[in-house]
Amino acid sequence: MKSGLGTALKKLPVSSDKINMDEYVTIVAIFCASGFGIYGVLTEGMTGDPSILLSKSIMDLFTAVLFAGSMGAAVSLIAIPQFGVFLALFFLARLIVPVTTPELLNDFVACGGILTIAAGLRVSKIKDIPLINMLPALVLVMPFSALWGKIF
C-alpha cells in the first residue's frame, strides 16, 4: 500500500511528472510564509481588522491562477497548509499581543518581505535560493529583535 504525496498527486487531474516539487515548495512558502499574510493574520487576531487579510486573499487568488497555469490543480492543495498556519497564528495572536512592540512587528514584516523577494527570485529562476533554509528566520526574528532592542 503506497502512501504519501505521490499517491495524493495521482488522484489529482494532473500528471505527477508535470509537478516540480522544488517549485511547489517555493509556492507553498509564498502563500503560507509571506510576511504580508502573517502580518495580516496577526493584525486581525490582535485588533479584529480584516482589511489586510482581505487584500492578501485577493492577491493570493490572482497569484494562484497564474501558478495553476503551469502546475495545474495541485496549486489548490496549498490552501490546506495555509489554512492551518493562518488559523494557528490567528488564535496565538492574543498571546503574542502583550510581548510585541511596533519595532518587533516591523522587523517581522521586513523578514517576511525578504523571504517573499527570495521566493520571487526562485520562481522566476533568476537565483536558486534555498528558501526552506530561510524559513526559521520568521520564528527567530522577533526574539532577536527584542534582544537587539534591549542591548542597544
Side-chain angles (χ1 to χ4, degrees):
M1 183 170 155
K2 293 182 181 179
S3 63
L5 186 60
T7 306
L9 291 176
K10 287 181 183 176
K11 295 179 182 178
L12 292 173
V14 67
S15 64
S16 61
D17 58 332
K18 186 179 178 184
I19 296 175
N20 182 350
M21 286 309 291
D22 288 336
E23 288 180 8
Y24 191 75
V25 169
T26 302
I27 294 169
V28 169
I30 288 172
F31 283 108
C32 297
S34 69
F36 187 55
I38 293 174
Y39 179 70
V41 170
L42 290 175
T43 301
E44 185 171 356
M46 292 179 202
T47 65
D49 179 24
S51 61
I52 296 172
L53 203 54
L54 289 173
S55 60
K56 163 82 170 134
S57 66
I58 291 170
M59 289 191 320
D60 281 353
L61 173 70
F62 290 108
T63 306
V65 168
L66 292 174
F67 286 130
S70 65
M71 295 191 67
V75 174
S76 65
L77 292 176
I78 294 173
I80 297 167
Q82 185 180 27
F83 178 74
V85 168
F86 285 3
L87 188 67
L89 285 173
F90 177 79
F91 287 120
L92 291 174
R94 298 277 182 212
L95 300 173
I96 296 172
V97 171
V99 296
T100 58
T101 63
E103 292 82 18
L104 286 175
L105 285 177
N106 288 339
D107 291 341
F108 182 76
V109 171
C111 180
I114 291 170
L115 288 177
T116 303
I117 290 170
L121 292 172
R122 184 180 175 111
V123 167
S124 62
K125 294 182 177 43
I126 293 172
K127 177 78 174 154
D128 189 24
I129 299 171
L131 196 61
I132 297 300
N133 295 342
M134 295 172 66
L135 287 179
L138 285 173
V139 176
L140 298 174
V141 68
M142 283 189 164
F144 284 145
S145 178
L147 181 65
W148 183 266
K150 288 182 182 180
I151 292 174
F152 298 103

